[in-house]
Amino acid sequence: MQYLSIVVVLLLICGYSVLGKQSLFCYQCKATDGSCENYTSASSYNCYDQLGDYTTNVAVTCYSAFIDYSGIVDINGATRDHETGVYRECGIIPNYLGDYCEWYIAELAISNIPVVSCEWCNISYCNKHTFDLETGLITGNSVNGGSIVSLVLLLLNICLMYVMK
C-alpha cells in the first residue's frame, strides 16, 4: 500500500510536468534600474507567459549580459552612457541559431553596441551571474538554481514513460 501511494504521487507529478504548462523563470532587470548587478533585487517572471503558444522551434533561455553604451548616442543625439551595465532577461531565438549570446552579441553589434560579456542558461532562476563592474566581465556563474528540480522532473518523466508502456 505504501508503494502504491508513492507511485500515485510520482504519477501526479510526472503528469503535471508532461501535461502542465511549460515554465522557465528568469530574473529581469536592466542597468537603468539601478540595481541589476545584484540579481536578488531583480524581479522574475516566467518566459513562457510572454510566448503563449509560440514555442514551436524556439529556444527559450535566461541570460545575463554586461553591455557598454559608453560613447553611444541615440537618434536625438543624447548620450546613452547611463545605460552601461548589467542586463538580465529571457532570451528567445529560433532553435537553429544555437547559442543565444552569440546571436545577441551579433545583433547589438549591428548598432555598434558592444556586449562585454554574456552568459545564457536554461534552468529557472539561473541568470544570477556576477560581474566585475570595472571590466564588465563575468566573475561568477551560479547556474545551479533549479537544477535539482529539473533533474527530479526529468527522472519522473522517465518513470512515467515506463509506467505508461
Side-chain angles (χ1 to χ4, degrees), residues 25-145:
F25 289 87
C26 297
Y27 293 105
Q28 175 187 16
C29 59
K30 53 188 175 186
T32 54
D33 293 342
S35 60
C36 200
E37 300 87 27
N38 185 353
Y39 70 91
T40 59
S41 57
S43 60
S44 63
Y45 68 101
N46 183 358
C47 301
Y48 288 93
D49 285 346
Q50 291 181 334
L51 293 172
D53 294 330
Y54 301 101
T55 57
T56 305
N57 299 318
V58 173
V60 181
T61 65
C62 299
Y63 75 90
S64 301
F66 191 97
I67 303 173
D68 184 4
Y69 284 96
S70 300
I72 306 292
V73 294
D74 64 18
I75 58 173
N76 298 321
T79 63
R80 296 181 63 186
D81 295 353
H82 67 285
E83 296 178 51
T84 294
V86 177
Y87 290 78
R88 301 177 195 277
E89 185 71 67
C90 287
I92 301 164
I93 61 170
N95 282 334
Y96 64 86
L97 289 177
D99 187 304
Y100 178 80
C101 284
E102 285 181 12
W103 171 83
Y104 188 59
I105 291 166
E107 192 71 17
L108 289 178
I110 293 170
S111 300
N112 293 320
I113 300 170
V115 176
V116 177
S117 58
C118 180
E119 287 287 335
W120 66 274
C121 48
N122 57 6
I123 299 169
S124 285
Y125 305 108
C126 63
N127 62 333
K128 48 185 164 181
H129 307 89
T130 56
F131 292 83
D132 177 333
L133 299 180
E134 295 294 319
T135 64
L137 298 176
I138 294 174
T139 58
N141 186 351
S142 303
V143 296
N144 295 327

